[in-house]
Amino acid sequence: TLKTASTLDGKIAASSGDSKWITSERSREFVHTLRHRHQGIMVGVNTVIADDPSLTTRLSVPGLHPIRIVVDSRLRIPEQAKVVQEDGDRTIVVTTASAPADKEARLARKGVAVIRCGPGPRVDLRQAMKRIGEREIGSILLEGGGRLNGAMLEAGLIDKIMLFYAPKIIAGTGPSSFEFAGFPAMRQAVGLERVKLEPLGRDFCVIGYPQYGMEEE
């Protein structure tokens, strides 16, 4: 399941990088409910570098935190990041064959599992999802950023999308929910089917299931 929170014009941060907070507390509480329902939570390394998230759930009901999965093609993840220092044995870093072995060794001493998927320069996401599945992680909440969201969508690896929108317009050059080269024709766009609209106070969430290959219709 892909989850992203943005302004009405699709921005997940301001041009300065500021992203706290786009959506309301009610929306953020709902996101923690989603984390509670998934076995894993996946982000890109840029999110870890920029925000240093814990990637846990703050719900009071009993239950395990999801396994944290960081996609990091060059092992740029800071060794002081919360996902390394706090229960590192519940963190997986997906990288490439070209990433430095000494950094892998240091992460391993913190309990972090490093999985190499593809020669580089980018992680082979299809292989990564297969390797993660072999660890009996059957449901993943993808929380971006835009490049990872775009790469996963482009690879056809997303089966459900939840787009949280705040009634704001910020414009500018900030990052967007999906960042990839895009399709040359509108008929090639990824459509959503079984779409639902869920109000969350002043925010709303668009829920749908990707329909790949629309041009064949």
Side-chain angles (χ1 to χ4, degrees), residues 39-45 48 55 66-72 77 83 90-94 113 115 128-129 132-133 135 137 139-144 148:
Q39 292 174 288
I41 179 171
M42 177 183 283
V43 299
V45 69
V48 175
L55 299 180
I67 297 296
R68 301 168 297 195
I69 304 163
V70 181
V71 178
D72 180 4
I77 185 170
V83 295
R90 295 190 61 79
T91 297
I92 297 171
V93 178
V94 183
I115 303 176
M129 297 302 287
I132 291 168
R135 291 173 175 255
I137 300 174
S139 60
I140 296 174
L141 181 63
L142 174 62
E143 291 199 13
L148 180 57

Side-chain angles (χ1 to χ4, degrees), residues 2 42 71 122-126 129 142 144-158 177-183 212:
L2 180 147
M42 177 183 283
V71 178
R122 293 186 175 182
V123 170
D124 183 329
L125 292 173
R126 291 183 182 277
M129 297 302 287
L142 174 62
R147 289 184 181 179
L148 180 57
N149 288 348
M152 289 284 284
L153 188 70
E154 197 172 25
L157 295 173
I158 297 171
S177 299
F178 299 93
E179 296 184 6
F180 63 107
F183 305 105
Y212 299 100

Side-chain angles (χ1 to χ4, degrees), residues 69-80:
I69 304 163
V70 181
V71 178
D72 180 4
S73 60
R74 292 178 287 160
L75 285 185
R76 294 187 295 122
I77 185 170
E79 293 175 47
Q80 298 304 314

Side-chain angles (χ1 to χ4, degrees), residues 20-168:
K20 296 186 184 308
W21 294 101
I22 296 174
T23 52
S24 66
E25 179 66 19
R26 183 171 176 182
S27 292
R28 297 196 297 274
E29 288 291 343
F30 187 71
V31 168
H32 281 271
T33 302
L34 292 177
R35 290 182 178 183
H36 185 69
R37 294 173 180 172
H38 290 76
Q39 292 174 288
I41 179 171
M42 177 183 283
V43 299
V45 69
N46 287 335
T47 296
V48 175
I49 292 171
D51 299 335
D52 193 21
S54 293
L55 299 180
T56 56
T57 174
R58 62 171 178 249
L59 294 180
S60 59
V61 295
L64 293 176
H65 296 302
I67 297 296
R68 301 168 297 195
I69 304 163
V70 181
V71 178
D72 180 4
S73 60
R74 292 178 287 160
L75 285 185
R76 294 187 295 122
I77 185 170
E79 293 175 47
Q80 298 304 314
K82 291 176 183 175
V83 295
V84 175
Q85 295 292 325
E86 301 172 2
D87 297 322
D89 59 343
R90 295 190 61 79
T91 297
I92 297 171
V93 178
V94 183
T95 191
T96 65
S98 60
D102 59 336
K103 182 69 171 287
E104 178 181 354
R106 293 196 299 274
L107 292 171
R109 286 196 287 271
K110 295 290 187 181
V112 176
V114 176
I115 303 176
R116 295 179 183 265
C117 297
R122 293 186 175 182
V123 170
D124 183 329
L125 292 173
R126 291 183 182 277
Q127 183 181 344
M129 297 302 287
K130 180 180 179 181
R131 296 281 300 278
I132 291 168
E134 290 170 354
R135 291 173 175 255
E136 298 185 349
I137 300 174
S139 60
I140 296 174
L141 181 63
L142 174 62
E143 291 199 13
R147 289 184 181 179
L148 180 57
N149 288 348
M152 289 284 284
L153 188 70
E154 197 172 25
L157 295 173
I158 297 171
D159 58 6
K160 183 178 180 179
I161 291 179
M162 303 183 72
L163 304 174
F164 291 80
Y165 287 100
K168 304 174 182 177

